[in-house]
Amino acid sequence: MNKLMKRTCKAMLLCAGLVGLVGCQPEDTRTTVIWWNNYQVPADGMSEEEARKDSDYTEYFFTKDLIEEFEAEHTDIHIETVYHGAYGTIAEDLKQALNSPNLPNIASGYPDNVAIYNGAGVTLDMSQYVDSETIGFGKKTVNGETVDDPTTVASDLNQNYFNAEKGMYANNHYLSLPYSKSSETLVVNQTVFDQVGAGASGTSSSSETGYQAPTAKASKTKYEIPQNWTELIQTARKMKADYPEVFADNNPKDGKDANVDSQGFFNAVPFCWDSAENMIISLLQNMDIPYTDANGNSNATKILFNNTEAKKLVAQLKKWNNEGLIATQDQLYISDPTKGYHQYSSTMVAQGDCFMCVSSTAGSRYFSADGFYVSFNHTPNIDQTIYQVDADQDVEATSEAKDAKVISQGPSLTFFKKSENGQDPSELASWEFYKFLTNAENSANLAVATSYFPIRTSSYDNEKVKALTGAKAVTAASTTAEKNSYYSGSVLKLNQTYTANNNYFLSPVFDMSADARTAIGDLIEEVFNATATTDSEINAVVETAFTNAINKVVTSSSN
């Protein structure tokens, strides 16, 4: 009997003798995989039954249940999730841990930051697993034997997501892999759009004050879904005329002719694009205006948005913002003064204070309040006719929404090295967990639970997913449950359309791309919030904002 066996026997005998007194727990010899994510943990003292009914904890419990199932099949692996706040906070925490042994095995986040982790030499290149003939996609290890697993084959992955993960990085390596993906959609209050003549634009019981949406003028006609920004601006102007009670120019401030409060924030606006960053990056993409380009070189310094056409576009957006036609979420009124949070566009739509917004597809269920219904549409395209719409209301754009590029978003999973030779068992365990996490059934279940897109094509054959995509169309009088189902199915079908039409795009990823994204979003807010009304004033503000943005990127990258 060797020394290890003798020690084991002694430990077992000791344990047997102590069970009746204090109990004895065997040493946990499982391989531990730590995953940092943004899945909020229920508050202390909150019962699980109560917490499972709260949408704030949907992803936490979905993951908890999934991990229990995985661990039952893989008794030698333990998965531990750690809540680290929003994606930006996760990224900052990871940067702080780059030179320490405290990095997790897996982290949720955006590819922009992965280039920074890779530059520090801590990312685990997943290509060795993805391309493996024995444990790669489509292969599953069971009791030491490798078997084919059709639910994890690479060809079943949505290639828009899968190939993008490889193509974003230098040398075409898999430095992150797709997980809960989403995009953006033009959401319109369909009750407002359908209304002909005088009538209520829909009411919502979600407001504590029992909000009653205003009535349209008798001259109101049926609105058509905008196909491009030219039509969107024309529709927004019509909305101001049709619903003067909502969009009355009753409190101009800082040169703005719009319905704003004493702080300069919008109480009501016809159109809101939630993310300033996504808005400007998407518009630049669709107008073929340079933004950034890493050209496959992660060490490149390619910040290209400081150009004449980009400045011309931002100046035009500023004019519409001044007119009270468009805004971003950071310009909506403060809903929580204690935290400085701005109101959500979905709440503004429910209250009848916003009729159109570009929002995340993952938030489709936020529009399920009573008294109105919405539709989810392709984001509008943009072309050069936007520069004619102010002078000529009858101008017709030629671009169609179906051709517009839309940003692919939602977190990927980044994996971190735990050894220099690839021999740490937690690295392989992380891969096995990823395959399980993203198999056809689990990908479908994530979509059903959260409205994130399935990353596997076959997930659309899942009965639960088919129940959503085939859900009966709703009306303003439909129940919340009926709206939830139909809205989730609507965005899942929109994902299929985006995929089939090759609409998705991702910005190149390199060591300055995260800073560039932040800087150009700040640029939009700086311009929109500035006191500027004349062309010369607007152009001066735009010029300064672009200079500030470029300086932010250069300063951040040099630190």
Side-chain angles (χ1 to χ4, degrees):
M1 183 178 292
N2 62 35
K3 291 182 180 180
L4 178 59
M5 291 180 66
K6 287 180 179 179
R7 290 194 189 108
T8 303
C9 289
K10 287 180 180 179
M12 292 175 66
L13 289 170
L14 177 61
C15 180
L18 293 175
V19 165
L21 297 176
V22 295
C24 181
Q25 296 296 324
E27 182 181 353
D28 190 345
T29 59
R30 295 178 298 173
T31 298
T32 296
V33 172
I34 298 175
W35 177 12
W36 287 6
N37 57 40
N38 64 320
Y39 303 154
Q40 189 172 343
V41 181
D44 291 340
M46 194 177 197
S47 70
E48 181 168 328
E49 181 181 5
E50 179 185 5
R52 282 185 178 271
K53 296 177 182 178
D54 192 324
S55 60
D56 287 342
Y57 311 121
T58 298
E59 288 172 303
Y60 169 81
F61 283 111
F62 174 83
T63 305
K64 179 178 182 293
D65 295 341
L66 207 61
I67 289 172
E68 289 178 359
E69 184 180 345
F70 175 80
E71 291 182 347
E73 294 183 9
H74 301 76
T75 56
D76 58 337
I77 300 175
H78 169 60
I79 309 296
E80 180 180 335
T81 63
V82 183
Y83 172 64
H84 270 259
Y87 300 126
T89 304
I90 296 173
E92 289 305 313
D93 290 349
L94 288 169
K95 292 173 188 176
Q96 293 298 318
L98 288 179
N99 297 315
S100 76
N102 300 322
L103 284 169
N105 298 90
I106 306 172
S108 301
Y110 296 124
D112 278 321
N113 290 298
V114 177
I116 297 173
Y117 314 147
N118 189 52
V122 297
T123 51
L124 179 63
D125 184 357
M126 302 304 288
S127 304
Q128 59 187 309
Y129 300 112
V130 170
D131 300 329
S132 172
E133 295 183 359
T134 56
I135 59 171
F137 278 124
K139 304 296 181 182
K140 183 177 182 181
T141 302
V142 180
N143 297 326
E145 298 180 9
T146 301
V147 297
D148 289 332
D149 179 7
T151 70
T152 64
V153 292
S155 60
D156 187 43
L157 284 165
N158 183 314
Q159 298 303 300
N160 283 266
Y161 306 142
F162 185 46
N163 291 334
E165 295 287 351
K166 185 176 183 179
M168 284 187 295
Y169 305 112
N171 303 318
N172 287 327
H173 287 185
Y174 288 105
L175 302 182
S176 62
L177 291 169
Y179 182 46
S180 46
K181 309 307 291 183
S182 62
S183 186
E184 291 184 310
T185 174
L186 173 65
V187 187
V188 306
N189 183 329
Q190 200 62 46
T191 303
V192 168
F193 270 61
D194 291 343
Q195 182 66 42
V196 176
S201 60
T203 59
S204 173
S205 61
S206 61
S207 172
E208 294 180 0
T209 59
Y211 179 88
Q212 296 292 314
T215 301
K217 282 186 174 182
S219 58
K220 185 197 178 301
T221 58
K222 186 179 186 298
Y223 300 146
E224 299 297 329
I225 304 297
Q227 296 297 300
N228 46 65
W229 269 73
T230 299
E231 294 178 2
L232 186 147
I233 293 303
Q234 291 169 335
T235 303
R237 286 194 177 127
K238 188 71 167 63
M239 288 172 171
K240 289 194 70 174
D242 289 339
Y243 293 92
E245 293 178 56
V246 186
F247 306 115
D249 301 329
N250 62 359
N251 191 12
K253 177 179 168 59
D254 295 338
K256 294 179 179 177
D257 183 23
N259 184 15
V260 297
D261 63 17
S262 59
Q263 296 178 280
F265 297 127
F266 283 94
N267 291 315
V269 66
F271 171 73
C272 176
W273 194 311
D274 286 351
S275 169
E277 297 91 338
N278 285 359
M279 179 183 73
I280 185 61
I281 291 171
S282 297
L283 297 184
L284 293 175
Q285 176 75 23
N286 281 292
M287 292 193 78
D288 293 322
I289 299 174
Y291 167 54
T292 67
D293 186 4
N295 291 328
N297 180 1
S298 63
N299 296 316
T301 305
K302 297 288 185 179
I303 305 300
L304 305 178
F305 60 75
N306 189 26
N307 61 76
T308 301
E309 284 301 308
K311 293 173 183 177
K312 181 180 179 182
L313 171 61
V314 171
Q316 181 61 70
L317 295 175
K318 169 63 174 171
K319 293 176 184 178
W320 293 331
N321 179 250
N322 280 354
E323 193 178 343
L325 302 179
I326 67 171
T328 63
Q329 190 198 352
D330 285 343
Q331 285 196 298
L332 304 182
Y333 68 88
I334 301 293
S335 59
D336 186 344
T338 62
K339 297 180 179 179
Y341 290 167
H342 293 267
Q343 186 57 275
Y344 293 103
S345 64
S346 57
T347 301
M348 297 276 279
V349 171
Q351 293 175 172
D353 295 326
C354 180
F355 294 161
M356 303 180 287
C357 66
V358 170
S359 190
S360 170
T361 54
S364 63
R365 296 173 186 177
Y366 295 140
F367 296 91
S368 297
D370 296 338
F372 72 103
Y373 76 109
V374 301
S375 64
F376 298 88
N377 310 275
H378 197 303
T379 55
N381 212 332
I382 190 167
D383 56 48
Q384 292 293 325
T385 59
I386 60 169
Y387 300 119
Q388 303 171 32
V389 70
D390 291 349
D392 184 0
Q393 280 292 297
D394 295 327
V395 64
E396 292 186 9
T398 57
S399 57
E400 295 185 69
K402 66 180 180 64
D403 299 319
K405 293 294 183 180
V406 292
I407 198 162
S408 176
Q409 59 184 20
S412 298
L413 298 183
T414 305
F415 301 78
F416 294 91
K417 291 179 182 178
K418 291 299 175 180
S419 66
E420 290 302 322
N421 57 11
Q423 297 301 308
D424 191 295
S426 68
E427 295 176 354
L428 177 58
S430 297
W431 169 246
E432 290 297 331
F433 178 59
Y434 177 76
K435 286 193 294 183
F436 177 84
L437 197 63
T438 58
N439 68 32
E441 180 179 4
N442 290 333
S443 185
N445 289 337
L446 178 67
V448 172
T450 65
S451 291
Y452 278 118
F453 299 149
I455 66 171
R456 291 194 168 276
T457 303
S458 62
S459 294
Y460 278 90
D461 295 326
N462 180 281
E463 291 303 318
K464 295 178 183 177
V465 172
K466 288 197 292 187
L468 293 180
T469 56
K472 180 182 178 182
V474 297
T475 67
S478 298
T479 66
T480 298
E482 290 170 336
K483 290 177 181 176
N484 281 341
S485 295
Y486 182 69
Y487 293 168
S488 294
S490 295
V491 295
L492 293 180
K493 288 192 289 187
L494 189 61
N495 172 51
Q496 289 180 300
T497 299
Y498 285 167
T499 299
N501 292 346
N502 197 29
N503 294 127
Y504 284 125
F505 80 94
L506 276 167
S507 300
V509 170
F510 60 113
D511 54 359
M512 298 172 69
S513 55
D515 293 329
R517 176 180 169 81
T518 299
I520 202 166
D522 291 345
L523 180 157
I524 292 296
E525 299 306 331
E526 181 179 345
V527 171
F528 279 11
N529 291 329
T531 302
T533 56
T534 67
D535 284 352
S536 59
E537 290 173 342
I538 291 173
N539 289 335
V541 164
V542 169
E543 193 68 42
T544 299
F546 271 83
T547 299
N548 291 341
I550 294 298
N551 289 339
K552 285 179 183 177
V553 178
V554 173
T555 301
S556 296
S557 299
S558 62
N559 290 336

